[in-house]
């Protein structure tokens, strides 16, 4: 199953049994996500979907921008080092796991940067 991230604002009412989530495939930026909160009364979350896979580094700042939580400041090189260790462990557990499958989540980590195409190869 495909995991669809949902980003939202904390519900002020402790009895949020009927939360509204705006399912807009076109949400591609923080500005569009914030606009969804402003435009629709009672909306506490928006689904971003595949945009996370297209620009993961951009969306890595979501906690700071939406919740005011400090960004841990981890670099992309640190992400790659951590992910490499994870990939080695997972491939040891499942020898049939293909390289393409294990590398797909980090494929677009450098999208928009110089040399990104070479990185993907």
């Amino acid at each position: 199953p495909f995991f669809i991230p949902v980003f939202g604002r904390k519900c002020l009412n402790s009895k949020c049994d009927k939360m509204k989530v705006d399912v807009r495939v076109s949400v591609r930026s923080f500005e569009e996500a914030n606009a969804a909160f402003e435009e629709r009364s009672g909306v506490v979350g928006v689904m971003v979907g595949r945009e996370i896979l297209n620009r993961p580094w951009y969306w890595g700042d979501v906690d700071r921008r939406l919740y005011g939580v400090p960004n841990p400041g981890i670099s992309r090189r640190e992400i790659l080092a951590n992910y490499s260790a994870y990939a080695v462990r997972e491939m040891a557990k499942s020898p049939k796991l293909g390289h393409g499958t294990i590398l797909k989540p980090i494929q677009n980590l450098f999208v928009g940067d110089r040399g990104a195409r070479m990185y993907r190869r």
Side-chain angles (χ1 to χ4, degrees):
F2 180 68
F3 172 71
I4 301 178
V6 176
F7 301 122
R9 302 213 171 136
K10 292 180 181 175
C11 189
L12 299 177
N13 183 352
S14 62
K15 297 178 182 177
C16 294
D17 48 347
K18 292 186 179 180
M19 288 182 18
K20 292 182 183 177
V21 176
D22 187 5
V23 185
R24 294 181 359 159
V25 178
S26 64
V27 172
R28 294 183 177 202
S29 68
F30 291 117
E31 292 75 22
E32 289 180 13
N34 279 328
F37 292 124
E38 305 296 326
E39 292 169 5
R40 293 178 172 77
S41 168
V43 170
V44 294
V46 294
M47 292 179 113
V48 178
R50 294 187 186 273
E51 188 61 22
I52 296 294
L53 294 175
N54 295 337
R55 296 189 310 157
W57 189 248
Y58 174 82
W59 290 100
D61 201 29
V62 70
D63 288 337
R64 183 188 65 80
R65 294 187 74 167
L66 289 183
Y67 304 119
V69 176
N71 189 323
I74 190 168
S75 73
R76 286 183 262 199
R77 290 190 186 273
E78 291 171 300
I79 290 171
L80 287 176
N82 293 338
Y83 194 83
S84 294
Y86 163 78
V88 167
R89 284 192 311 272
E90 290 303 308
M91 291 185 80
K93 286 184 209 173
S94 304
K96 293 184 180 179
L97 188 62
H99 288 90
T101 303
I102 198 77
L103 295 176
K104 186 169 183 157
I106 60 167
Q107 183 176 2
N108 290 330
L109 192 57
F110 292 93
V111 161
D113 287 355
R114 186 177 176 162
R117 182 175 292 157
M118 189 65 126
Y119 163 76
R120 285 192 308 269
R121 291 182 188 170

